[in-house]
Amino acid sequence: MNGLDINTDLARSILTGFIKSETTRSGFQKAVIGVSGGIDSAMSCFLAAEALGPENVLAVRMPYKTSSQDSLDHAQLVIDATGVQAITIPITDMADGLINQFPDMAKLRMGNIMARCRMIVLYDQSSAFGGLVIGTSNKTEILLGYSTQFGDAASAFNPIGDLYKTQLRQLAHAMGVPQVIIDKAPTADLWIGQTDEGELGFTYAEVDKLLYLMVDERYTPDECVEAGYERKFVETVVKRIQRYHYKRVMPPIAKLGNRTIGYDFLYLRDWGT
Amino acid sequence: MKVKLALAQINTKLGVVESNLEKHLNYIQRAKNEGADLVIFPELSLTGYVLQDLVPTVAHRATSDDPVFKELLAASRDIDIVVGFAEEDVRNRFYISSAYLSLGKVAHVHRKVYLPTYGLFDEGRFFAWGDSVEAFDTRFGRAGILICEDFWHTSSPYLLWMDGADLFLFTSASPGRGLTSAPELSTAHWVESINQAYASIFTSFVIHSNRVGFEDGLHFWGGSTVFDPNGELLAKAPLDDEALTYCEIDLNQLHRTRARLPLLRDERTALVQRELMRILKRDDSRSGR
């Protein structure tokens, strides 16, 4: 049995229940999702449409001038398949307002600016549409820190953050996400020709199996090597998990008083609901 | 003798006792209207589960002058009730407790003896450990209550069994986990398996009331069950949805099963005691606390 195999009916039922619960108990009926044309945001959009009704979901396409036409087209496929409401808000002007002030800006900086511009657009639409921003980060990228802090990682809640990319593909298939979206090479599309797997240096299929052993099954790095993974690969992944942990936690607050937020002022977000 | 059980598989509002109480009274009334004899609510049914710093603000005492229990006790005049709550004792220690209310009186309070404090659980940080596992008499024979982690330790139902319980009343707020290719979460599978195993090996009724709903990302899966002394599944509530599930049990099944399978008769308690004493006296074994 492959530990990454999931019962997609069960996942679907729990995740739509979660979306409905977290949305309505915060006093909302609606959701806003940045739809990129990739599988992660497609999945969040399909789940939200099922949980809240397509009329209560706003899909936002946010192309930059270098974004590929495929991304826009695939996002449209998601919008058409789910019947959600949609709006397209280009971010070129707002991103270039900053980018053009630094002619030698590195690609990574530009990518982070784009991701954060999209966050601003989504939270603005959240206010305009009256819906919560639903997250689109999967477990693989959260563990590897492959995201922009306060950018694509920002959301009100995240239904897909405990599913590895490999598992999302199973769920996407079961829920009828268009095959072209499931099959294409994952990309942040922050610059031309960028692919996740090219940038990371390994495939999701490989790293998901390793992450499953390390995180879910609590294998030590040595045990992972014994299980057949290359030591260098294991070490790279271990380092990434540790190095990017800061993206997974709230910024620490320096403790001075008897009761400090984050340490001994402990309440769930669902407090009182 | 036949007893009509009602498993009140509810969702709760986190830390809002008055609103949860209202739901309890509503479910109790419905169960009463259907002629149920005993209605069983899940763990911490009056408060919600992940209470953290809310504990001191939602805790109550199971006494007739407590405003919440006053209403529940009044409701218990016609139907017996198992209710889950955060309990504050006279010296201001807080427990995860379940009370058995009957004929307007508190018949028994069980304080959870095993507080999971590992993985996603943090109960030992916020609650005191209960320190007794006792059966008690009801209108329907002798019963015992265990709360969630309590029944992951075989000694707890064993003690109830030895103390005369034929009805095992289990309550949980079990966060679902372990998504695999199977049609149920690993947690649901394991809880159901051990409940069935206890019913079979203790030749007793095992009644489990689990909650539903979400608290932040935690998902409570429901699936409350009743197993008879043969280990047969008599009733199962739906997964994930609130439900009031009825199940009539025939207490004479205890007679029939134990006539066939005299496990209780043959249980060698003095041997257990002797061996346990020997084991606990060993210098190289400090496993018993």
Side-chain angles (χ1 to χ4, degrees):
Chain A
M1 193 190 83
N2 182 349
L4 289 166
D5 283 352
I6 57 164
N7 184 301
T8 51
D9 287 346
L10 188 53
R12 183 175 185 165
S13 140
I14 294 171
L15 297 180
T16 49
F18 169 72
I19 290 171
K20 199 167 172 55
S21 167
E22 285 304 297
T23 304
T24 54
R25 70 200 303 167
S26 327
F28 289 83
Q29 302 296 325
K30 299 198 263 186
V32 174
I33 304 173
V35 174
S36 68
I39 188 171
D40 299 334
S41 60
M43 207 57 264
S44 286
C45 191
F46 268 73
L47 288 165
E50 186 163 306
L52 305 173
E55 69 282 8
N56 291 318
V57 177
L58 179 66
V60 189
R61 299 194 303 175
M62 296 168 285
Y64 181 67
K65 65 190 177 195
T66 60
S67 297
S68 78
Q69 186 60 40
D70 274 359
S71 294
L72 269 177
D73 293 347
H74 293 160
Q76 190 60 47
L77 289 178
V78 172
I79 292 160
D80 293 342
T82 52
V84 297
Q85 300 201 50
I87 186 172
T88 302
I89 303 172
I91 57 160
T92 306
D93 287 349
M94 65 188 291
D96 281 351
L98 179 55
I99 291 169
N100 289 341
Q101 295 179 46
F102 301 92
D104 301 328
M105 187 179 281
K107 279 194 297 190
L108 187 67
R109 269 176 78 187
M110 290 169 60
N112 281 334
I113 288 170
M114 290 173 220
R116 292 184 180 122
C117 284
R118 293 188 172 113
M119 178 275 292
I120 290 171
V121 171
L122 286 177
Y123 275 84
D124 179 56
Q125 285 303 310
S126 170
S127 171
F129 184 67
L132 291 175
V133 176
I134 296 193
T136 57
S137 301
N138 65 61
K139 190 170 185 173
T140 313
E141 73 183 43
I142 295 173
L143 284 169
L144 295 176
Y146 191 66
S147 66
T148 297
Q149 196 182 23
F150 314 121
D152 54 308
S155 70
F157 62 85
N158 180 357
I160 63 165
D162 203 19
L163 289 170
Y164 291 107
K165 192 81 162 185
T166 308
Q167 296 172 320
L168 272 172
R169 285 179 174 141
Q170 297 168 44
L171 185 58
H173 185 74
M175 287 190 70
V177 170
Q179 197 62 37
V180 62
I181 294 174
I182 301 175
D183 290 342
K184 74 174 178 177
T187 172
D189 197 17
L190 294 172
W191 52 85
I192 292 160
Q194 183 191 26
T195 66
D196 295 7
E197 292 174 339
E199 214 180 344
L200 287 165
F202 39 76
T203 68
Y204 280 115
E206 292 170 315
V207 79
D208 281 354
K209 285 186 200 155
L210 178 60
L211 286 171
Y212 179 78
L213 286 189
M214 283 199 293
V215 176
D216 296 65
E217 295 295 322
R218 300 172 191 260
Y219 276 45
T220 64
D222 283 344
E223 287 171 329
C224 291
V225 172
E226 275 171 43
Y229 292 90
E230 272 184 49
R231 186 168 291 280
K232 196 160 164 257
F233 178 37
V234 173
E235 281 169 359
T236 304
V237 170
V238 168
K239 257 188 224 148
R240 277 202 79 110
I241 293 176
Q242 189 177 347
R243 180 168 171 208
Y244 293 113
H245 189 61
Y246 72 89
K247 294 189 189 182
R248 293 187 286 267
V249 295
M250 295 289 277
I253 290 172
K255 187 165 177 65
L256 294 172
N258 283 326
R259 218 167 161 209
T260 307
I261 295 151
Y263 298 99
D264 37 28
F265 180 82
L266 298 176
Y267 301 91
L268 286 196
R269 205 171 79 167
D270 286 345
W271 178 5
T273 65
Chain B
M1 182 188 186
K2 303 228 166 114
V3 181
K4 187 167 179 179
L5 306 170
L7 303 171
Q9 179 174 291
I10 61 166
N11 189 2
T12 51
K13 274 197 182 177
L14 185 60
V16 191
V17 177
E18 56 274 31
S19 139
N20 296 322
L21 172 64
E22 200 177 313
K23 187 177 278 187
H24 280 64
L25 296 173
N26 175 286
Y27 272 66
I28 292 165
Q29 188 58 50
R30 281 169 56 199
K32 215 185 281 187
N33 293 346
E34 290 294 319
D37 300 297
L38 168 61
V39 56
I40 303 134
F41 288 92
E43 176 181 16
L44 290 173
S45 58
L46 282 171
T47 59
Y49 177 66
V50 188
L51 292 167
Q52 299 179 307
D53 283 356
L54 289 170
V55 171
T57 67
V58 299
H60 284 262
R61 290 195 183 110
T63 53
S64 54
D65 57 354
D66 178 277
V68 170
F69 274 90
K70 193 175 166 185
E71 298 206 42
L72 290 168
L73 284 166
S76 78
R77 286 194 196 105
D78 313 313
I79 182 171
D80 289 11
I81 303 167
V82 174
V83 59
F85 66 113
E87 182 189 11
E88 181 170 1
D89 77 4
V90 290
R91 301 195 63 200
N92 313 102
R93 287 168 294 197
F94 303 98
Y95 301 89
I96 296 176
S97 296
S98 279
Y100 190 101
L101 314 180
S102 178
L103 304 171
K105 293 207 167 68
V106 180
H108 183 76
V109 173
H110 172 70
R111 293 171 174 167
K112 191 172 188 176
V113 293
Y114 286 103
L115 301 178
T117 306
Y118 59 80
L120 68 97
F121 301 104
D122 208 8
E123 294 178 12
R125 179 188 167 104
F126 300 99
F127 290 102
W129 297 60
D131 45 26
S132 73
V133 175
E134 269 183 70
F136 56 95
D137 291 315
T138 74
R139 298 193 280 142
F140 322 110
R142 210 159 156 78
I145 295 176
L146 296 175
I147 306 174
C148 208
E149 189 86 352
D150 288 345
F151 60 81
W152 282 91
H153 293 260
T154 50
S155 49
S156 318
Y158 180 81
L159 288 169
L160 289 181
W161 195 40
M162 287 300 99
D163 203 19
D166 293 326
L167 298 175
F168 291 62
L169 306 172
F170 292 177
T171 68
S172 295
S174 169
R177 53 212 187 276
L179 177 69
T180 66
S181 52
E184 286 193 348
L185 293 171
S186 307
T187 8
H189 169 71
W190 282 111
V191 169
E192 199 169 314
S193 301
I194 64 167
N195 279 320
Q196 182 166 32
Y198 288 149
S200 313
I201 61 182
F202 297 130
T203 54
S204 299
F205 288 99
V206 174
I207 298 136
H208 178 229
S209 180
N210 187 28
R211 66 163 283 193
V212 292
F214 291 83
E215 287 180 5
D216 283 10
L218 298 185
H219 150 251
F220 303 94
W221 48 273
S224 305
T225 50
V226 178
F227 287 98
D228 83 354
N230 288 330
E232 293 293 328
L233 180 67
L234 297 185
K236 181 168 178 178
L239 294 173
D240 300 333
D241 291 327
E242 286 196 316
L244 190 52
T245 301
Y246 298 100
C247 177
E248 189 174 74
I249 59 171
D250 176 2
L251 295 180
N252 291 341
Q253 188 59 48
L254 293 161
H255 164 83
R256 291 189 289 270
T257 300
R258 289 174 186 177
R260 169 180 67 83
L261 187 62
L263 298 177
L264 178 62
R265 181 197 72 186
D266 294 347
E267 182 61 21
R268 299 189 57 192
T269 49
L271 178 145
V272 172
Q273 186 186 28
R274 254 190 341 266
E275 290 302 308
L276 203 50
M277 293 309 287
R278 178 183 65 76
I279 292 161
L280 294 177
K281 274 185 200 152
R282 268 167 47 184
D283 285 342
D284 60 345
S285 166
R286 301 274 180 224
S287 60
R289 282 194 296 165

